[in-house]
Amino acid sequence: MQSRSLVPQTSPGLKLPIANLRSVFRPHDVERKLAKLPARDHENLRATYERMLERGPERFQVKPSGIPEMAALYEQLPNFAEALDDIKRHVALSQDAVDGIEITPMLLLGPPGIGKTHFARQLADLLGTGMSLVPMSSMTAGWLLSGASSQWKGAKPGKVFEALVDGQYANPVLVVDEIDKASADAQYDPLGALYGLLEHDTAGAFMDEFAEIAIDASQVIWIMTANDERCIPEPILNRMNVFEIDAPTHEQARTIARNLYKSIREDHGWGRRFDEEPGDDVLDCLAELAPREMRRALMTGFGNARLSHRECIATDDLPKCNAGKTKMGFVQ
């Protein structure tokens, strides 16, 4: 598949993304398949081919125009420093060539609720591309990634096809969430498609089983998340860089809570009613929670404070930090 420059490289100070246009499929292949379809039946497949031809094969392939300033990300995600270092290295390498950024597939390994999916969203924002989430815990069939044969009733393309053909980018971030929870009861191996997709050479001609058209998935940025690596086949583990993500320390958790407080306050018109900084006792209470629980706790706290006509959140405004399953241990 070819790519061509769309936007020239800007000066490093501007930090605008560089965008190329890259073909993710060959229209001739689609036209040939469409011409061979029977006059009747296969309505969904025919509509898929027609949509592909209407949209055309070119998608944006983007990367930062310089090594971006990542200090804020390191502060927001202090327990992801090693993974962020890896991203920074790949971005630095991409500056020396006109081709796109190539990131080795990443496995984020750690307990639930520590921000693994949030990290992937921040990565997509950093690179200027899109993100799609594939929740493996709900996957009961092997075709969710690779599509199901059009011979089956209700068949449709897989998530990779949707991200590349129906999306805007040739290099989206694809998050395979909780890869260790893939159903072992599926008739077909839910992880089977990954053996080829995680290899750069074979991913360049990925075949979706519904459309049966070669798709260039070689530029996809893969992020896997898992709680337990023992449930992941060794050949898939060997295709990824594995990063063990610890729960944040108490001080790191306070920093995450403070940043989240300021972000929520700045993102809402009602935020100006509240103090610019949360109190130390509030931060200590929030630091007892998993990062994914902090936002809900803060929103509850803001609401309770407003009902009490106060400009600051008190610890009594927050859900009890020691209740339920939200409390988590911290790294000493």
Side-chain angles (χ1 to χ4, degrees):
M1 308 289 180
Q2 303 96 11
S3 64
R4 61 185 177 85
S5 177
L6 179 66
V7 178
Q9 181 164 349
T10 57
S11 63
L14 292 177
K15 300 301 181 190
L16 295 175
I18 302 170
N20 292 334
L21 283 176
R22 185 181 182 93
S23 294
V24 297
F25 63 86
R26 291 183 288 268
H28 176 71
D29 294 344
V30 182
E31 292 167 351
R32 190 175 68 250
K33 287 283 188 181
L34 184 58
K36 291 182 178 180
L37 276 183
R40 296 184 178 182
D41 301 325
H42 300 285
E43 290 88 353
N44 289 342
L45 188 55
R46 183 182 303 278
T48 297
Y49 290 153
E50 290 174 347
R51 185 173 75 253
M52 293 175 73
L53 293 174
E54 181 180 355
R55 289 208 61 200
E58 293 186 327
R59 302 291 179 270
F60 293 114
Q61 181 180 8
V62 296
K63 67 177 180 180
S65 61
I67 301 176
E69 175 54 56
M70 295 173 62
L73 269 183
Y74 280 95
E75 186 177 5
Q76 289 177 34
L77 300 161
N79 48 331
F80 286 81
E82 287 189 19
L84 289 170
D85 288 344
D86 193 53
I87 296 299
K88 184 182 286 189
R89 285 190 289 269
H90 287 295
V91 172
L93 288 173
S94 75
Q95 304 306 303
D96 297 326
V98 296
D99 50 352
I101 184 171
E102 183 177 336
I103 295 177
T104 304
M106 305 175 70
L107 173 64
L108 306 178
L109 187 65
I114 60 173
K116 298 188 292 290
T117 306
H118 177 67
F119 168 86
R121 290 194 180 96
Q122 295 300 310
L123 173 59
D125 289 343
L126 177 76
L127 301 179
T129 188
M131 190 199 91
S132 295
L133 182 67
V134 184
M136 295 295 281
S137 59
S138 62
M139 180 185 285
T140 57
W143 48 259
L144 187 58
L145 281 170
S146 60
S149 170
S150 60
Q151 303 300 319
W152 292 91
K153 183 178 180 180
K156 61 180 182 180
K159 294 294 186 180
V160 177
F161 180 97
E162 289 178 356
L164 293 169
V165 175
D166 296 331
Q168 302 179 58
Y169 299 98
N171 62 332
V173 174
L174 273 181
V175 182
V176 182
D177 199 29
E178 296 186 311
I179 188 174
D180 53 329
K181 301 294 195 302
S183 174
D185 299 326
Q187 184 177 0
Y188 301 100
D189 181 6
L191 304 181
L194 289 177
Y195 290 96
L197 285 167
L198 297 182
E199 292 283 2
H200 185 272
D201 293 340
T202 53
F206 168 70
M207 189 71 70
D208 181 88
E209 292 186 24
F210 177 80
E212 296 184 324
I213 298 290
I215 303 295
D216 182 4
S218 64
Q219 305 302 303
V220 170
I221 299 164
W222 291 98
I223 307 291
M224 317 287 171
T225 76
N227 305 140
D228 187 349
E229 65 179 327
R230 292 173 297 178
C231 300
I232 304 172
E234 190 67 27
I236 289 181
L237 276 176
N238 290 339
R239 287 164 163 80
M240 300 184 287
N241 285 339
V242 179
F243 298 94
E244 295 191 20
I245 310 299
D246 293 322
T249 65
H250 184 76
E251 284 305 312
Q252 288 175 336
R254 280 174 53 91
T255 299
I256 292 170
R258 178 178 176 271
N259 289 333
L260 189 55
Y261 175 96
K262 294 171 72 70
S263 174
I264 293 173
R265 181 181 177 275
E266 292 168 1
D267 288 346
H268 295 85
W270 45 257
R272 66 181 183 275
R273 297 179 178 272
F274 293 91
D275 292 347
E276 292 186 9
E277 295 282 348
D280 285 340
D281 55 345
V282 169
L283 290 180
D284 285 334
C285 186
L286 289 169
E288 295 288 325
L289 304 177
R292 76 154 56 135
E293 307 294 342
M294 289 181 185
R295 175 176 287 275
R296 290 203 297 268
L298 276 168
M299 292 301 291
T300 298
F302 278 120
N304 286 335
R306 184 71 184 99
L307 288 172
S308 299
H309 306 286
R310 282 184 280 105
E311 296 177 348
C312 63
I313 295 178
T315 55
D316 288 344
D317 295 323
L318 300 170
K320 296 301 181 183
C321 296
N322 295 330
K325 300 179 180 178
T326 56
K327 186 175 180 180
M328 66 187 298
F330 294 96
V331 178
Q332 299 299 320

